[in-house]
Amino acid sequence: QVQLAESGGGLVQAGGSLRLSCAASGRIFSIDSMGWYRQAPGKQHELVAIFTSGGSTNYADSVKGRFTISRDSARNTVYLQMNSLIPEDTAVYSCYVESSDSTYWGQGTQVTVSS
């Protein structure tokens, strides 16, 4: 069983920063891709930043230049550094790991940006 443990969410003022972490544990044979999605109230689930199976990164246009995804492969951990946060970034952020046998999701962490 694979589990994803997220941390780092919280309340921050506009212009501030937060760093999210997501550590995967359990029997993971290989990781094809991993990253972050978010869902704001009344909006669709959307990609924020991911590592693709080829190792490159993809970012949502709305976060380019402000968010940075990184990872520690030895620890099966992915990070999301979020700078210059704006109220529109308020959402539940969820990490995922896509392995050879399945896709796993964390339970999500709330990020709230006040104006």
Side-chain angles (χ1 to χ4, degrees):
Q1 186 71 19
V2 175
Q3 293 185 328
L4 303 183
E6 297 151 332
S7 61
L11 173 64
V12 64
Q13 289 187 332
S17 298
L18 285 174
R19 188 188 191 215
L20 306 183
S21 299
C22 174
S25 61
R27 300 186 65 183
I28 303 175
F29 296 104
S30 65
I31 293 178
D32 293 331
S33 69
M34 62 191 311
W36 297 90
Y37 278 69
R38 69 185 180 186
Q39 187 164 23
K43 294 189 176 181
Q44 290 186 335
H45 205 215
E46 66 170 348
L47 179 151
V48 178
I50 67 169
F51 283 102
T52 69
S53 58
S56 61
T57 56
N58 282 344
Y59 290 91
D61 288 342
S62 59
V63 308
K64 284 179 181 176
R66 301 188 297 120
F67 291 11
T68 303
I69 189 171
S70 61
R71 63 185 172 183
D72 183 340
S73 297
R75 292 181 169 85
N76 287 333
T77 300
V78 63
Y79 306 95
L80 185 67
Q81 178 66 43
M82 305 185 293
N83 298 329
S84 302
L85 284 160
I86 59 178
E88 289 76 14
D89 294 319
T90 295
V92 175
Y93 286 70
S94 301
C95 68
Y96 83 97
V97 166
E98 181 182 14
S99 70
S100 56
D101 63 331
S102 188
T103 299
Y104 303 93
W105 289 89
Q107 58 186 35
T109 184
Q110 177 70 46
V111 171
T112 303
V113 184
S114 63
S115 57

